[in-house]
Amino acid sequence: MAKIHVKFNNSVLKVVDIDKDSLSIGRNAGNDIQIDNLAVSNFHARVEKSPAGYCIEDLKSTNGTFINDRRITRVVLNDNDAVTIGKHTLVFFLGDGEAGAAPDPTGSGLDQTMILDTRAHRERLVKAAAGGTSTLRRETIGVFTVFEGEAGQCEFELTDRLTLIGKHEGAGVKLDGLQGSKIGGFVARDRDLYTLIPPDSSRTIIINGQKVNEGVLLEEGDEIEIGGVKMRFHMRAKE
């Protein structure tokens, strides 16, 4: 029987048998595989049996689902694939795996997903943004309007699940006048919510005159300064 080893810091927390055609993964206690960590969305991902084999699908999670540092939407799993969800790793054994299980962590019941901020996750974000991400279709869309500094254009629509900000070649918000690093930050989109994330904990972004060095949920009219370039965030109805 196919199995999933749920690991944290190289320790196996539990072993789950894939004994039905669909398994849900997330922080909510209603999931088949519950991962009690704030970096994991309530309903983060799903494993399904298909004619091509077992597939894993990201359920528009906040921090994304990764295989070998590549952010995925839906892929067919191979034996021994290691999937990163938040700070946990799920290793898939599609043949006969070892039996056994470790105690399951208890649920917290918290509703808000923490924006994951680790060096490894930021590196995965750079790779994912450079490679492009799929577009979400909604009735409203977040927009950055540049009002001071040099940028590739005056306005940027934040249509992707993850948008890279900076001079990097994969940037969705291209800031030609960015001072210092090529990476100015990221915008993570979860439905119609947008979170601005600094490139690392040692660098700051200025929002409404206040320095921040962690993910901040953006609100209508917020003014953002990144490396000398100033922008304003607002929501706009899609045409």
Side-chain angles (χ1 to χ4, degrees), residues 60 62 111-113 115 136 138 140-142 158 160-161 187-196 216-219 233 235:
K60 299 179 182 178
T62 298
D111 291 327
Q112 298 299 316
T113 302
I115 299 298
L136 299 174
R138 299 290 178 186
T140 58
I141 197 72
L158 306 172
D160 293 335
R161 292 192 184 100
V187 177
R189 182 180 185 184
D190 187 2
R191 298 179 175 85
D192 291 324
L193 300 177
Y194 294 82
T195 301
L196 183 61
V216 175
L217 189 66
L218 292 173
E219 297 182 359
F233 173 80
M235 298 293 295

Side-chain angles (χ1 to χ4, degrees), residues 1-237:
M1 179 180 292
K3 297 179 181 294
I4 302 172
H5 287 205
V6 182
K7 301 175 67 176
F8 182 77
N9 287 342
N10 294 321
S11 297
V12 177
L13 300 180
K14 54 185 171 181
V15 178
V16 179
D17 290 333
I18 305 179
D19 56 2
K20 56 183 181 177
D21 290 342
S22 180
L23 291 173
S24 61
I25 305 165
R27 194 172 74 249
N28 189 283
N31 286 282
D32 298 296
I33 300 176
Q34 184 193 15
I35 301 177
D36 182 27
N37 188 287
L38 291 178
V40 178
S41 294
N42 276 310
F43 297 94
H44 197 108
R46 178 172 54 233
V47 176
E48 289 184 329
K49 192 173 185 179
S50 73
Y54 286 102
C55 298
I56 186 165
E57 179 181 11
D58 183 80
L59 300 178
K60 299 179 182 178
S61 63
T62 298
N63 289 311
T65 302
F66 296 80
I67 295 181
N68 299 325
D69 289 333
R70 178 173 62 90
R71 189 168 188 167
I72 60 96
T73 300
R74 180 182 173 89
V75 297
V76 176
L77 289 163
N78 296 310
D79 190 44
N80 209 34
D81 266 350
V83 177
T84 302
I85 292 180
K87 298 180 180 180
H88 288 66
T89 301
L90 280 66
V91 183
F92 290 79
F93 296 96
L94 303 182
D96 291 334
E98 290 183 272
D104 189 11
T106 58
S108 65
L110 296 176
D111 291 327
Q112 298 299 316
T113 302
M114 177 185 71
I115 299 298
L116 184 61
D117 184 27
T118 65
R119 179 184 296 275
H121 188 68
R122 287 191 295 271
E123 290 174 354
R124 289 195 293 268
L125 292 179
V126 173
K127 292 180 181 178
T133 53
S134 58
T135 299
L136 299 174
R137 300 185 64 85
R138 299 290 178 186
E139 295 301 317
T140 58
I141 197 72
V143 177
F144 277 157
T145 301
V146 179
F147 63 89
E148 186 174 319
E150 299 179 16
Q153 55 199 64
C154 296
E155 192 173 85
F156 299 92
E157 289 190 346
L158 306 172
T159 58
D160 293 335
R161 292 192 184 100
L162 179 72
T163 300
L164 174 62
I165 305 169
K167 294 186 289 187
H168 192 279
E169 61 182 9
V173 177
K174 193 71 176 296
L175 303 183
D176 299 328
L178 181 70
Q179 301 168 5
S181 172
K182 288 185 178 182
I183 307 297
F186 305 91
V187 177
R189 182 180 185 184
D190 187 2
R191 298 179 175 85
D192 291 324
L193 300 177
Y194 294 82
T195 301
L196 183 61
I197 310 170
D200 58 63
S201 59
S202 65
R203 297 191 62 199
T204 59
I205 290 175
I206 298 175
I207 301 180
N208 300 325
Q210 300 294 318
K211 293 182 178 180
V212 298
N213 56 8
E214 59 184 13
V216 175
L217 189 66
L218 292 173
E219 297 182 359
E220 181 72 25
D222 278 348
E223 293 188 359
I224 300 110
E225 181 177 351
I226 301 177
V229 180
K230 296 182 180 180
M231 303 178 289
R232 186 173 289 107
F233 173 80
H234 62 96
M235 298 293 295
R236 181 169 66 200

